[in-house]
Amino acid sequence: MATGHGEAKGQKAGTQADGGHHGGAFPPFEPTYFASQLVSLLIAFVALYIIVSRFALPRVGGTIEARQNAIESDLGQAQKLKDESDAALKAYEADLAAARTRAQSIGHETREKLNAAAEIQRKALEEKLAGKLADAERQIAATRTAAMANVRTIAADTAGAIVQQLTGTSPDAATVKSAVEASLKG
């Protein structure tokens, strides 16, 4: 055992001579260095805490506060624009409803005016046609009366012409007239 132990020491010594490395554990894990490491860690932590609390955190806090203010400002502006948009939409809808009402009333008035004008024209046309119809009826009545007055004469002339055609002699006008009268009376 002693030789095995000596060999380990010899190997340890040989390793230091060969590579120049320390023997033993990793230095931060060696208990002899714990106190100095803790003091160094404490000094580094305090320095880091002071740097962060005095310089970095106020800048980050200022940036966060500036962003928060910008977000609140943007939200306020967006709400204001939304309210303006809603008000404009309501005004537009009110104007549109008023325009529709005006258009309907204008259309109704125009329709009534056109209907009244058409009615006046229709009545005037009816009166004109009634006048023409009355004139035509008077003319027809006069023509009928004249025709009826001439029917006897025409009948007598026609009967005389037929008798002359059949017999070859011209009949007496008084005889033909009396025969026509007798036949019309029935």
Side-chain angles (χ1 to χ4, degrees), residues 88-136:
L89 180 63
K90 287 180 183 177
Y92 169 75
E93 288 173 352
D95 288 346
L96 185 61
R100 284 183 182 151
T101 304
R102 277 185 298 209
Q104 288 175 351
S105 67
I106 289 170
H108 185 68
E109 289 174 11
T110 303
R111 192 176 318 114
E112 286 179 0
K113 287 178 183 177
L114 291 176
N115 286 342
E119 186 66 23
I120 290 170
Q121 287 178 351
R122 185 184 62 80
K123 286 181 180 179
L125 185 59
E126 283 178 359
E127 289 174 5
K128 184 178 177 183
L129 289 176
K132 284 184 177 183
L133 183 62
D135 288 342

Side-chain angles (χ1 to χ4, degrees), residues 52-124:
V52 168
S53 66
R54 299 279 169 114
F55 300 111
L57 285 180
R59 287 183 185 169
V60 170
T63 303
I64 290 173
E65 187 176 331
R67 282 189 180 175
Q68 185 64 30
N69 290 340
I71 290 171
E72 288 174 2
S73 172
D74 290 346
L75 288 175
Q77 184 70 17
Q79 184 63 37
K80 178 183 172 186
L81 292 174
K82 182 183 179 291
D83 292 342
E84 289 176 2
S85 173
D86 290 343
L89 180 63
K90 287 180 183 177
Y92 169 75
E93 288 173 352
D95 288 346
L96 185 61
R100 284 183 182 151
T101 304
R102 277 185 298 209
Q104 288 175 351
S105 67
I106 289 170
H108 185 68
E109 289 174 11
T110 303
R111 192 176 318 114
E112 286 179 0
K113 287 178 183 177
L114 291 176
N115 286 342
E119 186 66 23
I120 290 170
Q121 287 178 351
R122 185 184 62 80
K123 286 181 180 179

